[in-house]
Amino acid sequence: MKFMDFCAGIGGGRLGLETFGLECVAYSEIDEAATNTYKLFFGDKEENYGDLMVINPNNLPDFDIMIAGFPCQSFSIVGQRKGLEDLRGQVIYGLVKIMRAKNIKYFILENVKGLVNHNKGQTISIILEELDAAGYQVEWKVLDSQFYGVPQMRERVYFVGIRKDLVDNKNKFTFPDGQSTLPDLKDYLVDTENKILDPYTDATFQKYLNNKYNKGKFNIEEILKEDYLVLDTRQSDLRLYRGKLPTLRAGRHGILYVKDGKLKKLSGYEALLLQGFPKELADKTRGQVVEGKLLSQAGNAMTVSVIKAIGLQLLKYIKGELAMGNEDLVALGS
């Protein structure tokens, strides 16, 4: 089976589907820096069709599955929440146009959790109505990445669409169950090239420690004693996490952690691992992608392991065998 990667970013969705041997025939991404990283990971074999809002669908190759992490700024609680009034929010209509023109069989879409309650639920209702009118039965659910293979708290809403003529009423699509046991954070905080921060002299860190919200709450000596303690500096707040990280975001570069008595900055390399990217791809970014860019790109990416889990369920549905084991799915890529 073939798929096309829309709003591709650096290819987290692609990686999740390629796990089962599915073939990516092309992608669509408008950010130049993200495209460069995408090519670094996957090469130049597939064409980037650029802005999906101006694509002529007739020029696209044929594919069975659409995957898209369509822009979330319009619906995120950290944005202005303009929703469908925002030009970026209109991307969903561009995706629907392509669905109709290419008559694709299935899709997987991802967005921020804030979409669910945006405009008192009216926005998601409009999106679901558009997808229904385009000819798809849609299931959606909020999943948290920390229960799907990575120790990162990351709630996102996922939509799975099945073209109505392909719906099997005896074989309902269900989202994958999460796991209660988180992976070991130590396996992800492994970079040896992180920037070390001196908590006693760093002006920004001292500002957090001594503002009116945090003054007297934290002891540096005690913090440095606890390996893999995660510190998140956000707005005026300082939060501590154990065994997992808060949500990675494009604009959040203030995550720190303790290792060997030192306070280290989370690196872009580690952010990729926390999004489910394999080390062999993360290694390719060494000396090739600016650190700030890489942190942003990882924060914007889809979590590979979540897409892998959803893709597994979709392929089981396609085969009508929801009890199928993972080892049987590789053959489905043909």
Side-chain angles (χ1 to χ4, degrees), residues 34-53:
T35 299
N36 290 337
T37 303
Y38 193 100
K39 290 180 178 179
L40 183 68
F41 289 162
F42 305 107
D44 294 318
K45 186 176 72 171
E46 297 85 24
E47 182 174 349
N48 179 10
Y49 282 83
D51 188 350
L52 68 86
M53 300 300 286

Side-chain angles (χ1 to χ4, degrees), residues 187-330:
D187 296 332
Y188 297 80
L189 303 182
V190 295
D191 200 350
T192 59
E193 301 179 17
N194 311 59
K195 182 176 180 180
I196 305 298
L197 185 149
D198 186 338
Y200 296 99
T201 61
D202 184 86
T204 301
F205 189 75
Q206 282 292 320
K207 182 184 73 172
Y208 276 98
L209 285 183
N210 294 302
N211 67 29
K212 63 180 180 180
Y213 303 101
N214 300 320
K215 191 171 181 64
K217 289 176 61 177
F218 302 99
N219 181 287
I220 294 177
E221 288 79 7
E222 291 300 315
I223 285 174
L224 296 178
K225 289 179 182 178
E226 187 176 346
D227 267 7
Y228 300 103
L229 176 67
V230 175
L231 298 82
D232 184 21
T233 54
R234 45 187 298 176
Q235 297 178 339
S236 298
D237 204 3
L238 176 64
R239 299 184 185 184
L240 306 183
Y241 297 85
R242 294 170 174 84
K244 56 189 175 184
L245 261 79
T247 306
L248 297 173
R249 296 196 182 112
R252 179 186 286 179
H253 298 172
I255 297 179
L256 312 167
Y257 67 91
V258 179
K259 189 173 182 180
D260 299 326
K262 298 177 180 178
L263 194 59
K264 307 182 74 174
K265 287 193 172 183
L266 183 79
S267 69
Y269 181 95
E270 292 165 328
L272 287 175
L273 302 185
L274 286 158
Q275 284 284 52
F277 285 76
K279 288 182 179 179
E280 54 266 28
L281 289 189
D283 286 337
K284 290 185 177 183
T285 65
R286 297 288 198 192
Q288 299 296 317
V289 185
V290 176
E291 180 68 4
K293 287 284 188 184
L294 189 58
L295 280 165
S296 294
Q297 290 167 6
N300 269 334
M302 283 190 270
T303 305
V304 176
S305 52
V306 178
I307 299 301
K308 178 180 176 180
I310 295 172
L312 171 64
Q313 288 295 95
L314 179 56
L315 290 176
K316 287 178 180 179
Y317 176 90
I318 293 169
K319 295 295 290 184
E321 299 176 13
L322 289 176
M324 183 185 294
N326 290 18
E327 68 277 1
D328 298 322
L329 284 166
V330 176

Side-chain angles (χ1 to χ4, degrees), residues 100 104 130-137 162-165 167:
R100 288 177 178 271
I104 64 167
E130 289 291 327
L131 294 171
D132 177 74
Y136 294 89
Q137 178 174 295
I162 301 162
R163 206 173 67 198
K164 290 179 181 179
D165 63 302
V167 169

Side-chain angles (χ1 to χ4, degrees), residues 12-25:
R14 172 176 177 158
L15 283 171
L17 294 185
E18 284 186 335
T19 303
F20 309 112
L22 303 186
E23 178 188 356
C24 180
V25 295

Side-chain angles (χ1 to χ4, degrees), residues 21-217:
L22 303 186
E23 178 188 356
C24 180
V25 295
Y27 65 103
S28 168
E29 175 54 52
I30 60 174
D31 183 88
E32 183 178 357
T35 299
N36 290 337
T37 303
Y38 193 100
K39 290 180 178 179
L40 183 68
F41 289 162
F42 305 107
D44 294 318
K45 186 176 72 171
E46 297 85 24
E47 182 174 349
N48 179 10
Y49 282 83
D51 188 350
L52 68 86
M53 300 300 286
V54 298
I55 288 175
N56 180 347
N58 295 324
N59 294 333
L60 297 177
D62 292 332
F63 56 97
D64 305 290
I65 302 173
M66 168 190 285
I67 184 161
F70 62 106
C72 63
Q73 294 95 326
S74 304
F75 309 113
S76 173
I77 59 172
V78 299
Q80 296 182 13
R81 295 177 68 89
K82 294 181 180 179
L84 295 175
E85 296 177 5
D86 190 317
L87 181 61
R88 293 169 299 188
Q90 304 292 336
V91 169
I92 185 63
Y93 295 118
L95 292 171
V96 170
K97 176 183 176 181
I98 294 170
M99 290 176 192
R100 288 177 178 271
K102 299 299 293 182
N103 197 30
I104 64 167
K105 297 176 180 178
Y106 312 98
F107 63 74
I108 300 173
L109 307 180
E110 179 249 30
N111 210 296
V112 292
K113 181 185 177 183
L115 173 61
V116 175
N117 296 316
H118 181 265
N119 197 19
K120 299 180 180 179
Q122 292 184 38
T123 299
I124 192 170
S125 294
I126 292 170
I127 290 174
L128 292 171
E129 288 171 5
E130 289 291 327
L131 294 171
D132 177 74
Y136 294 89
Q137 178 174 295
V138 182
E139 303 292 338
W140 66 273
K141 189 173 183 179
V142 174
L143 302 180
D144 190 336
S145 295
Q146 67 176 311
F147 303 119
Y148 294 88
V150 292
Q152 181 200 167
M153 303 162 62
R154 187 182 188 86
E155 290 184 304
R156 292 292 185 267
V157 59
Y158 298 89
F159 303 82
V160 172
I162 301 162
R163 206 173 67 198
K164 290 179 181 179
D165 63 302
L166 299 175
V167 169
D168 180 357
N169 292 322
K170 297 180 181 179
N171 182 34
K172 181 179 173 59
F173 175 83
T174 56
F175 280 91
D177 294 328
Q179 300 177 343
S180 58
T181 302
L182 272 63
D184 194 335
L185 185 59
K186 296 177 183 178
D187 296 332
Y188 297 80
L189 303 182
V190 295
D191 200 350
T192 59
E193 301 179 17
N194 311 59
K195 182 176 180 180
I196 305 298
L197 185 149
D198 186 338
Y200 296 99
T201 61
D202 184 86
T204 301
F205 189 75
Q206 282 292 320
K207 182 184 73 172
Y208 276 98
L209 285 183
N210 294 302
N211 67 29
K212 63 180 180 180
Y213 303 101
N214 300 320
K215 191 171 181 64
K217 289 176 61 177

